[in-house]
Structure formats: C-alpha cells, structure tokens
Amino acid sequence: MRRRIGLGVLAVWGCLAVPGASWAGSEPGPFANVMASVLTRHPDEAAPACAGARDAFGFLGRLQLERVRPVLIEVVSEMPEDLRRDAVGCYAPRTHRLLVLEMARFMDRGRWFGVPTSETLYRSVVAHEVAHALVGCHLDGRQLVTSAHEYVAYVAMFATMDPATLEAVFAAMPGPGFTYDAEINDMRYTLDPMAFGVEAYRHWLRQPDGFGFLRQVIDGKVVPELLLSRSSLGQAPDSRLAGGAASPFSGAYR
C-alpha cells in the first residue's frame, strides 16, 4: 500500500496495540490517521509508542514523501545481539522491520542522552525509528549514506521532543552543532552516535529552509556518495551475525 503522508492525506491504519501476538486494526482512536501499529505483550506501552509514531508521521509529512507503507512497531524484550549494546531501537532497511526495546527495559538503562529515562524519552525512541522507516520506504531500494539517514531521524526525534526534555538534553550535551555539511559523515556518527544526533539537530536549526535541507539530505545531495559505508556499496547489510547466520539487523539504522 503506497500513500503520500502529506498533511491531511494520512490514511488507513489506526495505531492500536493489543496483548500477545495480535496487532493492527482500523478501529477509530486518537491515532487513527497514523499508518502504524504496535506489536507488544505490554498494552500499557502502546500509548507512548503510538505517540512516537504520530510525531514522526506528522513531522516528516511536511516533506510529502512518496511510496510510504504502513509501519509495524515490534516491541521486544531484547535487541538483536549483533547491534551495539546501547541500542534501544533499530530499523532494518531490507526487510523494513522496526524494533524498539520494551519501555521497562529502556527505563532500566537509567539515562539516555545524558538525562534520566522517562516515558517522554521512550516516545522519542519510537519517533526516531519510525522516521527511519518512513525514509526507508520512500527510498524504495535506493541507497542512502548511514549518516544522512541518521541525520533525518535525529532531527525528527528532537524536533518533536517535549521542550523541557529537549532543553535538558541540550544542557547535558553542550556543543556548537556542525559548522559544515561535511561534518555529517559516517565516522562522526560511528564514533559517538548520541553526540552526532545532538550536533545534527543544532546544525539543522540554523538552516534557512530546514525542511528543504532535509529533502536534500534524503535525495542524497548533501552527504557525498564517497562516504558510503561498505554495506551501502554492495555488501549486504544483512550478512553479519555471530555464528555465521544471516541477520536482518546487521547494518540496521539505530
């Protein structure tokens, strides 16, 4: 199913969660205009997950992205073993699977982006991953540099974050923001993903046309292809997992 997600044109699925392995639905609800559903064994975690999905759809909807399909948010007790230990969510571009850690497990982390974990921050985790999914669907198989993908997801996450929480994150992680577009690169992201995210958002706030810049990033016009990671240059991102088995989350966006 392919629909635009422009403002006023959202359609089809309500964001709804039910216990066990049941999922999805089109029943009326507060998130009926968001093409997302939550698969979770903890119904109390549905509201923040749906709110995060709504945030991402609403923010990126201004870009009039095409080729967007409904998003399934899978809430899991453990993240795949082949991801970074600090990962709390991931999106696999090949399979379009989106995982986020259970809220209780996320709370156990204690701090995230330098501030105490909270339901508000958990909502932001979901917004970040749903942003990845929306961009991934729009790309329709076209490769995009990891740091460009992450730039968009972090901007969507921070732009929709509760103002008080955002202020606390900025205070905990001070910095000037990227000065040059060339600083949006995979090495900066790999060395410190959280610092990359905060600096990326500060950089975006200084853009004369913020959404126009995001569109350029998504179109591959900002981060040079020369900075593409090996996985983006032909090595399948699903091929690395301890023990040799294939994993759909190797090289996933986090």
Side-chain angles (χ1 to χ4, degrees), residues 22-245:
S22 301
W23 62 280
S26 57
E27 300 176 10
F31 307 104
N33 288 330
V34 175
M35 294 162 54
S37 295
V38 179
L39 173 59
T40 178
R41 298 183 183 278
H42 304 281
D44 58 321
E45 297 184 358
C50 284
R54 182 190 64 194
D55 290 342
F57 270 86
F59 182 77
L60 292 179
R62 305 181 201 187
L63 296 179
Q64 296 288 316
L65 300 179
E66 299 178 347
R67 297 183 294 276
V68 170
R69 61 173 60 84
V71 174
L72 172 62
I73 302 164
E74 299 180 54
V75 181
V76 297
S77 60
E78 300 287 346
M79 298 303 297
E81 292 182 357
D82 54 332
L83 296 183
R84 294 171 59 110
R85 291 187 177 182
D86 58 355
V88 294
C90 67
Y91 167 71
R94 277 189 151 188
T95 59
H96 300 290
R97 287 190 66 189
L98 187 162
L99 307 184
V100 293
L101 197 62
E102 291 177 352
M103 187 163 62
R105 297 295 183 97
F106 173 72
M107 295 295 191
D108 289 343
R109 299 293 179 99
R111 302 186 76 82
W112 195 58
F113 277 93
V115 300
T117 51
S118 64
E119 183 174 310
T120 298
L121 280 175
Y122 184 73
R123 170 175 174 169
S124 296
V125 172
V126 178
H128 180 98
E129 300 305 335
V130 171
H132 275 311
L134 295 180
V135 172
C137 292
H138 169 74
L139 293 174
D140 198 27
R142 175 171 64 84
Q143 299 290 351
L144 186 66
V145 183
T146 295
S147 52
H149 224 296
E150 293 292 347
Y151 184 97
V152 177
Y154 275 121
V155 167
M157 183 186 86
F158 285 120
T160 58
M161 186 176 283
D162 171 75
T165 304
L166 178 61
E167 182 178 355
V169 170
F170 270 25
M173 303 185 69
F178 297 143
T179 303
Y180 306 103
D181 295 352
E183 294 178 85
I184 307 169
N185 61 67
D186 286 4
M187 182 165 290
R188 291 289 297 263
Y189 170 73
T190 301
L191 289 175
D192 193 338
M194 289 189 176
F196 175 93
V198 177
E199 295 301 271
Y201 185 59
R202 288 188 172 108
H203 172 270
W204 181 75
L205 289 174
R206 296 199 300 269
Q207 302 307 308
D209 178 5
F211 285 97
F213 185 79
L214 283 184
R215 190 63 192 232
Q216 288 187 316
V217 172
I218 293 172
D219 289 345
K221 298 177 180 178
V222 175
V223 186
E225 291 187 1
L226 290 176
L227 298 180
L228 280 167
S229 62
R230 288 182 62 197
S231 63
S232 298
L233 289 171
Q235 179 182 352
D238 300 1
S239 63
R240 175 175 49 83
L241 183 67

